[in-house]
Amino acid sequence: MADRKIDFLLIGGFAAGHCARRLRDSGADGSILIVGREPDLPYERPPLSKEYLRGSAKREDALVREPGWYEEQEVEVLTRTTAAKLDLNARTVTLSNRQEIEFGKAMLATGANVRRLNVPGCELDGIHYLRTLGNSDSIREDAAGKRTGFRAG
């Protein structure tokens, strides 16, 4: 038996944030739950390798919507949470936090995982992957104060 019921289940980050906005803009007034594995609210990825990485934009500038929008629009966001099991017949999802949620409609937009290098030296310090805000932060921290040929954008 489900712990609770919601109308719209949106699994993912960037696309889920845009979908929530579109639902509200089109008059949807049911409950909306965004479930995403990342620690941040939904955000745009292009700034991670451009403005944000260069330091010419703030972290908040990459967000799909400002943090207050979710509360104003009554859109619940569960970060650091994954959909562990999806039962389409029962219309339920079991989350990594062990909640079981019944849903009316669902959208899965989980994106992709980073493709890790499998070559000699791939484990060396200074090798970075860029997919998340945290990855961009790590690159900025590693490059701070170092003179390199790296130039974002």
Side-chain angles (χ1 to χ4, degrees):
M1 177 161 196
D3 299 313
R4 63 184 171 130
K5 181 179 181 181
I6 52 105
D7 296 301
F8 301 98
L9 171 66
L10 311 176
I11 300 172
F14 164 80
H18 279 286
C19 184
R21 182 187 63 136
R22 184 70 74 183
L23 284 166
R24 288 300 188 233
D25 287 350
S26 66
D29 62 357
S31 54
I32 299 175
L33 172 64
I34 296 175
V35 175
R37 71 177 175 192
E38 295 189 32
D40 301 287
L41 291 171
Y43 59 89
E44 308 272 352
R45 295 213 186 272
L48 303 185
S49 63
K50 297 173 182 61
E51 298 88 0
Y52 182 70
L53 185 61
R54 277 196 306 266
S56 61
K58 295 180 283 186
R59 190 177 193 91
E60 301 81 44
D61 295 335
L63 298 177
V64 169
R65 304 301 292 172
E66 61 279 356
W69 180 89
Y70 297 94
E71 187 175 335
E72 291 167 13
Q73 296 297 316
E74 298 181 8
V75 173
E76 182 181 359
V77 181
L78 293 178
T79 58
R80 299 180 190 264
T81 306
T82 59
K85 179 182 176 188
L86 188 63
D87 185 333
L88 296 178
N89 293 324
R91 298 180 90 77
T92 60
V93 63
T94 303
L95 303 177
S96 56
N97 63 12
R98 296 203 166 94
Q99 280 188 69
E100 186 175 302
I101 299 173
E102 183 179 342
F103 59 86
K105 295 182 179 182
M107 179 192 76
L108 278 75
T110 58
N113 288 321
V114 124
R115 291 184 68 185
R116 302 241 176 231
L117 290 174
N118 187 15
V119 297
C122 66
E123 72 287 342
L124 295 172
D125 287 342
I127 302 293
H128 293 277
Y129 296 93
L130 180 54
R131 184 179 174 279
T132 67
L133 279 164
N135 296 148
S136 196
D137 290 338
S138 294
I139 293 169
R140 286 173 63 179
E141 289 168 15
D142 202 31
K146 295 181 180 179
R147 185 139 176 95
T148 68
F150 172 76
R151 182 183 151 113

